[in-house]
Amino acid sequence: MIRHLRTALLAPLLTAVGALLLSGCGGAGHLESSGATPTAIGPIHLWPDLPPATATPNDYGETDTEQVPGIKVTGGDVRRLNPVAVVQAEVKAHPNTYSGEDGLYDETVRQLATCKQKPGSCPVLKPYYRDLTGDGKDELIVGIRMPDQQLAVRCYMPAKDGGLIRIMSTVDQIISVDLAGRDVILRSVSAGMPGYEYRTAWSWDDHQQAMLPTRDEIVRRKGGGENTGGKHPAPSGAGQASPSPKKKPPTAKPSATPTADAP
């Protein structure tokens, strides 16, 4: 009796559902083709008959590292170092150097000499620490404020013999720098390209034993106004003066300045 009652109640419901399904297939909700799938286009090797380069390229980064003379790292802990003393040791080893990885303005060198007496005008910014090489030990990251809104960024690692090795040095008009994992990400001025900036990622290269710019791109700025004629707001804490150094301003490869792992 109960079985017959259930059958009687379900029959109209199943009939209605079936009618809906049949009407859906033939109505506006039926499946439609999205068209032909675009044909995949593979990479094409242009000018395959070009002869290979005859000159052997130099290893990139082969001159980027240098032992800092006179600096010892106690227990391999760079946090014990005085960053001003580190920069001063490099200046002493490379006097009157205005370009390249060791280049600094005359004004910056003079300010370095008075960091103890005038700490407020010392060009060496607060240091940061991060394991950039993946060996479990922190590296020292130093920013050096310079005229014309430029910033020199240098990274140092403890050496096995107790010394200190510079593994990165660069100068640029910097907008900002971040640390992402073990990468140092630099945003810098894109001169002559309003609304754009350079973004460079520096990463540890185990073969060269140095930090190298592994990714470099030109990026459209989001918010914050347009880049007009290469003029940007000064980086946080950067000097506003525009002196005329004896020689050309320091120049180096792409740049960096971190904002993580405060001491």
Side-chain angles (χ1 to χ4, degrees):
M1 178 70 179
I2 295 175
R3 183 182 300 171
H4 291 307
L5 180 59
R6 286 178 179 170
T7 303
L9 291 173
L10 286 174
L13 179 62
L14 293 174
T15 302
V17 170
L20 286 173
L21 290 175
L22 290 173
S23 63
C25 291
H30 67 278
L31 299 177
E32 294 183 0
S33 172
S34 59
T37 302
T39 303
I41 301 175
I44 299 173
H45 183 54
L46 304 184
W47 305 296
D49 297 330
L50 285 175
T54 55
T56 303
N58 293 328
D59 252 347
Y60 189 55
E62 64 185 1
T63 62
D64 289 353
T65 61
E66 180 179 86
Q67 182 112 5
V68 182
I71 299 295
K72 296 297 180 182
V73 185
T74 304
D77 185 3
V78 294
R79 292 175 180 264
R80 300 185 182 184
L81 295 173
N82 180 344
V84 174
V86 171
V87 178
Q88 287 175 333
E90 292 188 303
V91 170
K92 185 178 179 180
H94 302 279
N96 303 317
T97 302
Y98 302 93
S99 63
E101 286 78 8
D102 298 295
L104 291 176
Y105 284 87
D106 280 339
E107 177 181 333
T108 306
V109 174
R110 289 195 299 268
Q111 289 174 330
L112 275 170
T114 62
C115 280
K116 281 188 177 181
Q117 296 81 6
K118 301 177 181 179
S121 61
C122 183
V124 178
L125 303 179
K126 179 184 71 173
Y128 288 85
Y129 305 92
R130 176 66 67 92
D131 178 8
L132 300 174
T133 66
D135 65 354
K137 293 183 178 180
D138 282 340
E139 273 65 56
L140 168 65
I141 306 169
V142 173
I144 308 169
R145 210 172 33 192
M146 297 204 290
D148 298 331
Q149 300 181 2
Q150 295 201 52
L151 190 70
V153 178
R154 299 178 180 182
C155 298
Y156 307 86
M157 70 177 291
K160 293 180 180 179
D161 62 0
L164 185 69
I165 300 175
R166 189 180 68 201
I167 59 173
M168 172 183 168
S169 178
T170 186
V171 180
D172 211 335
Q173 268 194 311
I174 290 176
I175 301 169
S176 70
V177 181
D178 300 282
L179 287 173
R182 302 206 310 264
D183 287 350
V184 180
I185 311 296
L186 164 73
R187 294 172 56 217
S188 61
V189 169
S190 173
M193 295 184 65
Y196 289 83
E197 65 187 35
Y198 292 115
R199 191 172 300 166
T200 306
W202 289 75
S203 309
W204 172 252
D205 184 280
D206 196 55
H207 173 68
Q208 290 295 336
Q209 293 288 291
M211 294 289 289
L212 302 181
T214 52
R215 295 186 301 281
D216 203 0
E217 56 185 345
I218 299 175
V219 183
R220 178 77 178 173
R221 296 187 68 203
K222 295 181 180 178
E226 295 287 307
N227 172 2
T228 55
K231 298 296 183 181
H232 275 253
S236 177
Q240 299 295 325
S242 299
S244 300
K246 290 181 181 177
K247 296 190 179 182
K248 291 179 65 178
T251 56
K253 296 166 189 158
S255 347
T257 343
T259 54
D261 288 337

